[in-house]
Amino acid sequence: ILKGMQSSRGGINSIRSVFISARRMASANDKVMNMSSLNPQVKTMEYAVRGPIVIRAVELEKELAHGVSKPFNSVIKANIGDAHAMGQKPITFIRQVLGAVANPALLSSPDLPSDVKNRAETILGGCGGKSVGAYSQSTGVDVIRKHVAEFIQRRDGGASVDPENVILSGGASESIRNVMKLFINRNGGRKVGFMVPIPQYPLYSATIEEFGLGQVGYFLNEENKWGLDEAELERSYNESLKEFDTKVIVIINPGNPTGQVLPRENIEMIIKFAKKHNLFIMADEVYQDNVYAEGSQFHSFKKVLMSMGAPYDKMELASFHSVSKGYMGECGLRGGYVEFANIDPEVFVMFKKMISAKLCSTVLGQAVIDTVVNGPREGEPSFAKWKAEKDAVLASLKQRALLVQQAYGSIEGITCNPVQGAMYAFPQIHLPPKAIQAAKALNQEPDFFYAMKLLESTGVCIVPGSGFCQKPGTYHFRTTILPQTELMRDMLTRFKSFHEKFMAEYK
């Protein structure tokens, strides 16, 4: 055939095209980075909050935009704690300061209050060339770290806090991952184990998998408002030693996805447990402003640990906060921090060396942290408006927390604990055996099967509990309380109608 093709100019061109096609096919199948050479931890890690159900929700939005007929006219994304995406308005003071540091020409505007200008000038004074376009130190802008330290001292009512122990980052997630990275060490032949609450926030399971660490789950007690039992901590820790070198305990307070707020006695118990087993404590406290239930109160691990005296006040602790939650909801601006207590000085030097490779977190995000920890004070021009806006956001969240718990709790086949804090409910679905069988026939988790059907039928996007881990044999979903009240009522109406039909179909 080739000889025949060579008999004409066209034949030569055909030969050339055959070889070009073959070369393209070879190069497509012979990439340097392919699925066989890819880091296996990247392939196995999962992050349910942005998983396949959310991807499908985005596709449905596009289909609706192109006029495709659906049994609903909008997609409601209750899958993620993104307050502004759900209609929350920015806090004026935060955006005024942010606008002024981004565009210093606004500092001459008579429309900006004097305290906004003062804050912006202070931040800019700490930046290279008085511009947020300059790199900061890897640890963050010094004056902002100082304000964070002062905020922690005021919050906890304790001794002064050293700003050198505060590291600013792109959201709390970056700091959490940086601290976890310090524990990647296989010299002993075993993975380092991280005790994480189950249900847990998928940041932890995904990062543990990505970094080749060991996940050690301890179950929260759903029958006791997602409380934490010492016996369960002991069981989890002791069983983990068969496989892992367990060194860290992670606490999320207020809880995500479960919405519980730990009482002080529980925190003291956890600290004593960590001391007994020589564990490093990671306290994820990004929802510290989000406490709704009567009688509930946020207690920082730092405050409790230090107030317990020796030997507990010498324990290693990393605690995290963020501008993404609370009343601020500034998720996209990526501001957060970690405060270290009692960390080994040589290790701290190594930590700062490690983060220096990424230069610094976004300086605009750092500026937002400053507006949170150094907000308007009584008597300043912005105080009244700032307080009114903050109180309104938190009051509305409290109202929606109660609305969600009552709504789901009243639906047959669902049980829901009170939402004491944070931004989520984690109801349990009591699925009929027929529905479980139908899911397994499709090789799907039953709560994934339920959540996908809910999305396709109603446009309501939730996250199945299997993405957060849960007790075997139980099925849940996480939903945010962030949709504004009218949208929340619409969501709950759609949900109830779907659930009743689903239960009847699989009865």
Side-chain angles (χ1 to χ4, degrees):
I1 294 170
L2 290 174
K3 286 180 180 178
M5 292 170 67
Q6 286 175 338
S7 64
S8 69
R9 191 178 186 89
I12 293 172
N13 289 336
S14 296
I15 292 172
R16 184 181 293 116
S17 66
V18 167
F19 280 107
I20 289 172
S21 297
R23 189 166 61 196
R24 284 175 179 165
M25 289 178 64
S27 64
N29 295 326
D30 194 29
K31 298 287 188 185
V32 173
M33 176 54 66
N34 54 46
M35 288 302 290
S36 63
S37 62
L38 180 67
N39 179 346
Q41 270 83 43
V42 172
K43 288 190 281 189
T44 54
M45 70 173 284
E46 294 182 359
Y47 188 65
V49 173
R50 294 180 182 267
I53 289 178
V54 183
I55 292 170
R56 178 59 183 147
V58 173
E59 291 173 353
L60 287 172
E61 281 186 317
K62 291 178 180 176
E63 290 175 18
L64 286 170
H66 286 90
V68 179
S69 178
K70 300 288 177 185
F72 47 87
N73 57 17
S74 66
V75 172
I76 301 176
K77 292 180 181 174
N79 62 294
I80 196 165
D82 191 346
H84 291 196
M86 288 286 97
Q88 180 177 312
K89 301 301 181 188
I91 300 297
T92 302
F93 174 80
I94 292 176
R95 289 303 180 87
Q96 285 179 329
V97 173
L98 191 64
V101 297
N103 180 13
L106 293 175
L107 291 171
S108 60
S109 169
D111 298 328
L112 285 186
S114 59
D115 53 345
V116 167
K117 293 179 180 179
N118 291 338
R119 298 300 196 284
E121 287 168 349
T122 300
I123 294 168
L124 290 171
C127 297
K130 295 190 175 182
S131 170
V132 290
Y135 288 126
S136 74
Q137 295 296 318
S138 300
T139 51
V141 175
D142 282 344
V143 71
I144 300 177
R145 296 168 69 204
K146 175 176 176 288
H147 292 158
V148 172
E150 292 168 351
F151 161 80
I152 294 169
Q153 182 181 348
R154 288 194 306 272
R155 182 196 68 187
D156 294 345
S160 61
V161 176
D162 187 351
E164 286 302 310
N165 293 331
V166 173
I167 308 293
L168 307 183
S169 58
S173 299
E174 183 180 61
S175 280
I176 289 167
R177 286 171 57 84
N178 283 338
V179 173
M180 294 176 75
K181 197 179 294 182
L182 295 176
F183 288 92
I184 303 173
N185 188 331
R186 299 294 294 276
N187 286 345
R190 297 195 298 169
K191 295 179 178 180
V192 173
F194 275 68
M195 296 185 69
V196 295
I198 303 298
Q200 55 89 42
Y201 175 45
L203 166 67
Y204 294 97
S205 57
T207 305
I208 286 169
E209 187 66 26
E210 180 187 353
F211 289 174
L213 300 166
Q215 180 170 307
V216 180
Y218 60 87
F219 290 112
L220 302 177
N221 187 344
E222 187 171 9
E223 288 70 35
N224 186 25
K225 299 178 181 177
W226 298 112
L228 184 53
D229 301 327
E230 184 174 8
E232 171 57 18
L233 288 178
E234 291 287 356
R235 178 207 65 77
S236 172
Y237 175 78
N238 290 322
E239 287 188 8
S240 77
L241 298 181
K242 300 172 186 175
E243 185 177 1
F244 304 124
D245 180 16
T246 300
K247 291 182 178 291
V248 183
I249 183 167
V250 175
I251 309 294
I252 307 174
N253 179 48
N256 176 11
T258 44
Q260 85 282 10
V261 179
L262 294 180
R264 183 188 172 99
E265 297 75 23
N266 226 197
I267 295 174
E268 290 180 354
M269 178 272 288
I270 295 164
I271 291 170
K272 290 176 181 177
F273 167 83
K275 178 62 180 174
K276 176 182 175 182
H277 296 292
N278 196 30
L279 299 175
F280 187 105
I281 300 173
M282 292 179 64
D284 183 336
E285 298 174 334
V286 302
Y287 297 99
Q288 58 190 260
D289 286 310
N290 302 106
V291 178
Y292 317 118
E294 295 299 324
S296 292
Q297 181 182 349
F298 170 74
H299 300 279
S300 77
F301 264 77
K302 170 80 177 298
K303 179 179 180 179
V304 176
L305 184 142
M306 291 302 177
S307 68
M308 290 172 68
Y312 306 107
D313 59 358
K314 299 297 186 290
M315 292 175 64
E316 295 155 275
L317 168 71
S319 51
F320 309 89
H321 195 18
S322 168
V323 304
S324 300
K325 311 303 176 185
Y327 63 91
M328 306 81 69
E330 294 283 10
C331 302
L333 290 171
R334 311 311 299 138
Y337 72 76
V338 55
E339 185 207 3
F340 289 104
N342 302 318
I343 190 170
D344 183 302
E346 292 181 321
V347 169
F348 196 29
V349 170
M350 293 295 104
F351 179 87
K352 288 184 280 190
K353 178 185 74 172
M354 179 183 73
I355 65 171
S356 70
K358 292 189 288 185
L359 298 178
C360 69
S361 63
T362 164
V363 178
L364 285 176
Q366 295 182 42
V368 180
I369 297 173
D370 196 82
T371 66
V372 173
V373 300
N374 189 30
R377 294 176 176 82
E378 195 163 3
E380 291 184 323
S382 300
F383 179 79
K385 185 172 187 177
W386 169 83
K387 187 175 188 307
E389 291 178 344
K390 174 183 176 180
D391 290 349
V393 169
L394 294 175
S396 178
L397 285 169
K398 181 176 181 178
Q399 178 189 30
R400 283 175 271 163
L402 184 61
L403 175 65
V404 164
Q405 188 264 323
Q406 290 176 339
Y408 287 123
S410 67
I411 299 173
E412 186 177 353
I414 291 181
T415 53
C416 186
N417 273 315
V419 181
Q420 296 175 318
M423 295 178 169
Y424 316 97
F426 198 66
Q428 183 173 166
I429 330 164
H430 302 282
L431 294 173
K434 187 178 174 184
I436 296 171
Q437 292 164 7
K440 290 183 176 177
L442 295 171
N443 198 29
Q444 293 178 355
E445 290 290 340
D447 47 17
F448 179 94
F449 174 76
Y450 178 94
M452 187 61 84
K453 280 191 168 292
L454 172 69
L455 175 63
E456 296 286 359
S457 301
T458 68
V460 173
C461 180
I462 57 174
V463 188
S466 49
F468 298 89
C469 303
Q470 56 196 341
K471 269 193 174 181
T474 67
Y475 306 104
H476 300 79
F477 63 90
R478 190 188 81 165
T479 179
T480 74
I481 62 171
L482 291 176
Q484 299 298 301
T485 305
E486 286 310 308
L487 185 60
M488 177 73 76
R489 295 186 193 280
D490 179 18
M491 182 180 84
L492 293 172
T493 299
R494 297 190 204 184
F495 178 90
K496 185 174 182 180
S497 174
F498 162 81
H499 179 79
E500 290 171 350
K501 292 174 184 176
F502 180 95
M503 298 298 276
E505 179 181 353
Y506 293 98
K507 187 174 179 181

